[in-house]
Amino acid sequence: MMARIGAAVQQGRDGRPVLTALWDEIGPAGDPLHRCSLAHYLADLQDDAEAELLWDERALAAVAELTDARAQQYHAALQVRAFLPSLHLNLADVHHRLEHPERAREHLAAARAAAHHLPDDGYGEMIRGGISNLEARLLR
């Protein structure tokens, strides 16, 4: 399933119908790794912030059910707590754009609190930079 998700993501904006069909196939009680991954990607493909919020919330809900053991079946180095900074950053950003400052600050604080779980690589730097950039925007 992760290979199918990856292939659909590579299709870019044309991948939205494929990803949505995969979501329907997996269902609300499906594998939390698949639900988290799909919802995370689907959020990025939305043109509407309210729809993006819905998918971001689904990703966060799915990660709450995900275990390190399950994530490591896909990739040995994955740790669920390292997913949290990105998921909370996305929620903080969309709440900021929807003019929900309190919710934005709550999710930004959660992203910042979990940032120490990020790897020391390009991905970790990108998420930490996103947290800092959003913090600066929220302080304006």
Side-chain angles (χ1 to χ4, degrees):
M1 180 58 72
M2 292 301 286
R4 291 171 62 197
I5 294 169
V9 169
Q10 290 301 316
Q11 294 174 7
R13 288 200 116 9
D14 295 335
R16 186 185 327 186
V18 176
L19 288 171
T20 303
L22 289 174
W23 180 266
D24 292 342
E25 181 181 328
I26 291 167
D31 185 317
L33 177 63
H34 299 157
R35 287 186 291 125
C36 180
S37 299
L38 273 170
H40 185 62
Y41 289 125
L42 278 161
D44 290 342
L45 294 175
Q46 301 308 306
D47 296 324
D48 175 73
E50 290 286 347
E52 182 180 346
L53 176 62
L54 174 69
W55 287 110
D56 281 334
E57 288 173 338
R58 287 176 177 166
L60 187 63
V63 85
E65 300 173 32
L66 184 58
T67 65
D68 284 342
R70 172 59 189 106
Q72 290 165 3
Q73 288 174 348
Y74 176 68
H75 190 286
L78 289 179
Q79 294 184 340
V80 173
R81 63 184 178 250
F83 292 19
L84 295 174
S86 175
L87 296 174
H88 282 291
L89 175 60
N90 288 353
L91 279 160
D93 178 63
V94 73
H95 277 294
H96 174 63
R97 287 184 280 121
L98 289 168
E99 299 181 4
H100 305 152
E102 286 301 316
R103 296 292 294 151
R105 283 191 285 277
E106 289 169 12
H107 282 289
L108 189 59
R112 175 63 72 196
H116 68 279
H117 295 297
L118 289 166
D120 290 324
D121 60 9
Y123 171 76
E125 289 175 21
M126 178 185 70
I127 300 302
R128 284 184 199 91
I131 292 169
S132 294
N133 289 337
L134 186 54
E135 282 175 336
R137 290 188 355 236
L138 284 174
L139 293 175
R140 288 186 214 160

